[in-house]
Amino acid sequence: MNTQGSQKAFEEAKNLIPGGVNSPVRAFSSVGGTPLFIKEGKGARLIDVDGNEYVDFVQSWGPLIFGHRDEAIESAVIDAVKHGLSFGAPTTAESELAEHIISLFEPIEKVRFVSSGTEAVMSAIRLARGFTGKDDIVKFEGCYHGHSDSLLVQAGSGLATFGNPSSPGVPADFTKHTLLAKYNDIDSVKKCFEDSDDIACIIIEPIAGNMGLVPADKDFLAALRKLCDKHNALLIFDEVMSGFRANLHGAQTLTGTKPDIITLGKVIGGGMPVGAFGASSEIMAKLSPDGPVYQAGTLSGNPVAMAAGNAAITKLKSFARVMSVLEHRSHRLMAGMQEMATKHNIPLKTTVRGSMFGFFFSEIDVKNFDDAMKNDQDRFSKFHSKMLDEGYYFACSSFETGFISTAITDDMIEDTIKAFDKVFGEL
Ligand SMILES: *Cc1c(COP(=O)(O)O)cnc(C)c1O
C-alpha cells in the first residue's frame, strides 16, 4: 500500500501543529506508523490522499451513524449555509432539535446546546454542583468525559479516593474535589461517600466506550441510583458516545436506571460540532438566564450544526428498525471475529451494544479499567496495521469503541470477517 502522500502531509503537519494532529488519538502513537490523511469520505468508505480506500469502522469516533456524505444531512447543511452561518440569536432549528431529544429521552424535560461533549459534561457538573450546593464529584477510572480540568484525574496513592491530576497544567487544587472509584465496583463508590459528605454528583458512562466497550452491570447502576438518592447527590449519565448508538432512548431504557442529568454529543451533531445536556425542568431552572448557574457560548446552537443534527435525528426516528439492523450487523461482525479467533487460537473477548462494538485480545472478561489494561497491546498493534493493509480502518487504540454505520452492508461485514481470518492467520 502506498502511503507516501500521508507520510509527507504528516511531516509537514508536525512542523505546524503539535504532533501533527488536533486531537491526540489521531496520531497513531499507540499503534505506531503514520496517520492517514483523508481526502474524502463516501458512504461506508474513507479515501486517503494517496487514493487508498478503507471501510470505516471509526466514523469520526462515533458521530457518522449514516456514514459519510449522507444525502439528507448533506442537503440540510447546504440549505442552512445558504441562510447564513451564525446569527448569535435564537433560531427555530434549536427548538426542533430540543424537541427531538426531549421526546426520546424520558429524564430530559429541558435541554441546552453547546459545541462539544467536553463542554456538555463540564456544564452538567457545574449545574449539579449549583443545584445541590455541594462541591465533590465521583468519577470512574477508565471513563472519559472530555478534557476539562476537574475530570483529568488518575488514582491517588494508597487508600485515597481523591484523585490526582493526570495532566500537567491541572492544579491539584482543581482535582481535589474529584473522587475516583472503580467501574462496576459498588464498594469503591460507597467508600467515596464515607470519605466525603459533600458529593454533588456521580458521573458515569453507563456504557463505557473509552476503555474499549465495557457496559456497566445493571445492578451496579441501580446501586448508584440508591446511593445518590440516599446522599442527595445527582446521577449523571454521560451518553456523549452511547446516545443514539446503543439505543434510541438512552441507556436508562436498557438498564432500568434513570439518571438526573444526561450529556449528549457526537451523533446529535450529525458530523457537526454539537453537545447537549438535559434534565428535569426543576434542575434546568438553575441554569442562566432562568437561574444563577452561569453557562454560555457564542456558537452554541449554531444553525448549520442544528440543521445537521435535525436531519440525522429525524432520519433515525423515521426509520424505526435502523437500530436493530445496526445491532444485528454489529453482532454478526463480532461473532465472525470470535469464530476466526477461535480458529487461529487467539484469545478474544467481544461486546456489542447497538451499533457499538468492542473487542479485547484477552482471556478475561473485562469489567473495569484494570481488566482492560491486560489486553495484548502488541497483538492489537499488529492487527491494526494488517487490517489497514487489507482496506479496513479500525480505531488506532485498543481502548476505543468501533462503530457500524447504515452504509456498512452485510456483504462488507462478511468481507471483513474474511480479512480477520487472513490477518489472524498471520498474527
Ligand atoms: C467523546 C466523549 C466526550 C468528549 O466529547 P468531545 O466532543 O470530544 O469534547 C465526553 N464524554 C464521552 C463519553 C465521550 O465519548
Side-chain angles (χ1 to χ4, degrees), residues 146-415:
H147 64 95
S148 68
D149 283 342
S150 64
L151 291 161
L152 289 183
V153 293
Q154 61 192 4
S157 55
L159 296 171
T161 53
F162 293 87
N164 291 339
S166 62
S167 165
V170 178
D173 274 356
F174 290 15
T175 56
K176 74 179 183 197
H177 293 294
T178 307
L179 285 76
L180 212 55
K182 198 167 179 172
Y183 203 73
N184 280 323
D185 177 349
I186 198 65
D187 288 338
S188 71
V189 187
K190 285 182 181 157
K191 182 163 186 313
C192 293
F193 282 96
E194 284 161 18
D195 290 353
S196 166
D197 56 8
D198 198 31
I199 293 174
C201 64
I202 297 177
I203 180 156
I204 186 167
E205 286 180 77
I207 298 160
N210 288 288
M211 51 174 150
L213 182 58
V214 185
D217 296 332
K218 274 189 186 178
D219 295 350
F220 176 67
L221 292 174
L224 293 183
R225 177 73 271 172
K226 274 200 185 140
L227 275 176
C228 284
D229 292 344
K230 184 173 160 199
H231 296 277
N232 288 318
L234 300 185
L235 181 60
I236 305 178
F237 276 4
D238 181 355
E239 295 221 63
V240 168
M241 184 187 291
S242 57
F244 308 101
R245 276 285 177 186
N247 171 297
L248 200 51
H249 300 277
Q252 81 275 3
T253 51
L254 288 177
T255 64
T257 291
K258 187 176 164 180
D260 299 298
I261 303 180
I262 297 172
T263 57
L264 295 165
K266 299 194 169 113
V267 172
I268 52 163
M272 296 290 288
V274 180
F277 58 105
S280 65
S281 302
E282 186 197 358
I283 294 173
M284 294 303 277
K286 283 280 180 212
L287 204 62
S288 58
D290 285 353
V293 177
Y294 192 67
Q295 191 278 327
T298 302
L299 291 175
S300 291
N302 173 268
V304 183
M306 293 291 110
N310 277 320
I313 306 305
T314 302
K315 195 164 165 170
L316 276 177
K317 281 170 83 174
S318 65
F319 180 33
R321 277 183 59 248
V322 70
M323 287 291 166
S324 57
V325 169
L326 289 170
E327 177 149 15
H328 180 77
R329 289 184 189 150
S330 314
H331 274 298
R332 174 63 194 134
L333 184 71
M334 287 299 97
M337 189 180 204
Q338 196 80 62
E339 210 178 294
M340 293 310 154
T342 307
K343 176 176 165 188
H344 295 285
N345 279 316
I346 290 174
L348 185 79
K349 295 283 178 183
T350 62
T351 311
V352 166
R353 285 292 180 281
S355 58
M356 306 163 77
F357 66 84
F359 54 90
F360 289 102
F361 290 113
S362 182
E363 304 196 3
I364 56 163
D365 287 322
V366 176
K367 287 282 183 192
N368 57 46
F369 188 56
D370 291 340
D371 296 343
M373 294 289 281
K374 290 178 187 140
N375 172 58
D376 187 338
Q377 191 58 39
D378 186 47
R379 181 168 270 158
F380 175 81
S381 298
K382 287 182 188 137
F383 164 82
H384 180 264
S385 115
K386 285 179 186 294
M387 287 305 290
L388 272 185
D389 290 343
E390 298 297 318
Y392 297 92
Y393 193 83
F394 283 87
C396 54
S397 156
S398 51
F399 301 112
E400 301 291 344
T401 293
F403 301 100
I404 303 285
S405 74
T406 54
I408 294 179
T409 62
D410 290 330
D411 285 347
M412 289 176 192
I413 302 265
E414 294 310 318
D415 288 344

